[in-house]
Amino acid sequence: MKLICIPAFLIIALSIFSCKNETTGKVNIEIQVPSGEYDSLLYYMSHENLAVYSSWEFKREYFDSTGTMQLRFDTDEIGWLFITFFPNTYKGNASKKQNRTFLLVQPGKEYSIVFDSTYPLLFKINGDFEEAQNLFNRLSHSQNSSGYDWSTNSDSRLTAFLLHLDDSITNSIKPFDDLLKRKEIDKRYYNAVFNHIKYSHASGLLNHFHIRQRAYERPKFYKKYPEIHPLKISNEALAQIEKAVYERYPITKKEAGLLPNLGEYMDRFLRHK
């Protein structure tokens, strides 16, 4: 029998490679908040190829006495991570401190999410794609604050609104175009952000019309919101607007898992289908 000799350095290299393969799929996230200020967080795990958003997993975790928490995941479990922080309800103005963080997890990476009172969103992400992660958080919060903020209150025809919608999406994705060109983010991250921007803007357009219709039908209730201009529009006309938006921005199964906080848009899109 002929013996096969494998050099020692090759055995060592194979061992290192084997160990590396076992650990690259793990993700560690360290979270630090001021002791006593925050009680817990709720995180939502989104897989990349979900058929419907309701398949997300929800789990609540509680901070220890020092305000520290460690989250560990396998990357085959998670793509996007959406975290909502809950302040200690026994302290004053608790609702004002509640906040969200959106994180796109990368294989074999470590992240930290830290409370920072000087930061616009109170929580700052450190780790891979740091600039993109924090830019995305600022963008997501501004888009989700009010559905009508991004658009005008004019009564332009639908074609003009769709053009405005396209312009809004193009302008919002520009900073990420630059990051992609500089290779500071990869294509997977870019596509995830682009989908979020695209559908949150489309949802904002529809929300814009629905809110203005309700403001016309219920003037007493919406009187305290002067920024909303009531609009007399029929349900049939609104249905035509929805049809045009859904045809322009349809949701595919692959994209469904990358749509944080857009459940209403997805519900209506599925009903339209």
Side-chain angles (χ1 to χ4, degrees):
M1 179 183 292
K2 186 174 181 180
L3 295 175
I4 300 175
C5 295
I6 301 177
F9 74 87
L10 185 56
I11 294 176
I12 294 171
L14 288 171
S15 299
I16 293 172
F17 179 77
S18 176
C19 291
K20 188 176 181 182
N21 267 355
E22 291 177 2
T23 59
T24 51
K26 307 291 182 182
V27 173
N28 294 316
I29 304 170
E30 181 180 282
I31 302 172
Q32 183 69 53
V33 301
S35 178
E37 289 289 329
Y38 285 83
D39 171 65
S40 58
L41 61 78
L42 189 70
Y43 66 79
Y44 313 71
M45 297 197 312
S46 172
H47 305 261
E48 283 198 38
N49 295 310
L50 293 181
V52 290
Y53 69 94
S54 58
S55 298
W56 291 347
E57 294 181 45
F58 302 82
K59 190 171 181 181
R60 190 155 189 155
E61 297 280 359
Y62 291 85
F63 289 103
D64 63 19
S65 58
T66 65
T68 304
M69 184 184 299
Q70 294 278 347
L71 297 179
R72 293 181 173 85
F73 302 98
D74 291 320
T75 52
D76 59 352
E77 294 179 351
I78 182 172
W80 279 103
L81 182 70
F82 318 116
I83 301 173
T84 300
F85 291 86
F86 293 94
N88 191 320
T89 54
Y90 296 103
K91 294 186 177 293
N93 297 322
S95 61
K96 293 182 180 179
K97 295 181 180 178
Q98 184 173 325
N99 222 320
R100 299 187 309 272
T101 297
F102 303 81
L103 178 66
L104 180 62
V105 174
Q106 299 290 300
K109 299 293 184 180
E110 295 189 1
Y111 304 90
S112 69
I113 301 174
V114 295
F115 180 91
D116 181 1
S117 60
T118 64
Y119 193 64
L121 301 180
L122 298 182
F123 293 94
K124 191 174 192 304
I125 300 173
N126 301 314
D128 193 51
F129 295 163
E130 183 173 320
E131 181 183 352
Q133 299 278 22
N134 290 298
L135 177 63
F136 177 70
N137 271 283
R138 290 195 295 274
L139 186 66
S140 298
H141 279 270
S142 64
Q143 287 174 355
N144 283 288
S145 59
S146 300
Y148 48 81
D149 282 349
W150 66 269
S151 187
T152 66
N153 272 302
S154 66
D155 293 323
S156 304
R157 290 184 302 176
L158 175 61
T159 51
F161 268 109
L162 290 176
L163 288 173
H164 178 77
L165 178 59
D166 290 340
D167 289 341
S168 297
I169 293 170
T170 300
N171 291 331
S172 296
I173 198 63
K174 276 182 180 178
F176 298 94
D177 287 331
D178 296 337
L179 289 170
L180 183 65
K181 289 176 184 176
R182 300 199 303 264
K183 297 183 179 179
E184 293 181 24
I185 57 174
D186 60 21
K187 193 66 177 178
R188 174 176 173 263
Y189 191 100
Y190 179 86
N191 288 339
V193 172
F194 180 75
N195 283 331
H196 176 80
I197 290 173
K198 178 168 62 175
Y199 293 114
S200 61
H201 278 67
S203 179
L205 174 66
L206 295 180
N207 195 33
H208 166 91
F209 281 106
H210 280 285
I211 287 176
R212 292 185 62 199
Q213 182 194 48
R214 290 198 296 269
Y216 178 82
E217 295 172 347
R218 302 167 62 188
K220 289 183 179 180
F221 180 81
Y222 283 92
K223 189 176 181 180
K224 57 184 176 181
Y225 302 107
E227 67 272 22
I228 301 177
H229 295 189
L231 175 66
K232 184 179 180 180
I233 183 172
S234 67
N235 290 332
E236 292 76 16
L238 200 53
Q240 288 298 315
I241 292 172
E242 287 187 342
K243 181 175 183 292
V245 172
Y246 292 140
E247 287 178 354
R248 197 178 190 95
Y249 302 101
I251 296 176
T252 67
K253 181 179 178 180
K254 184 177 181 181
E255 295 165 340
L258 300 173
L259 299 177
N261 290 345
L262 296 179
E264 185 178 357
Y265 184 82
M266 294 181 69
D267 280 341
R268 289 179 175 175
F269 174 77
L270 292 173
R271 287 200 297 270
H272 169 74
K273 292 286 287 184

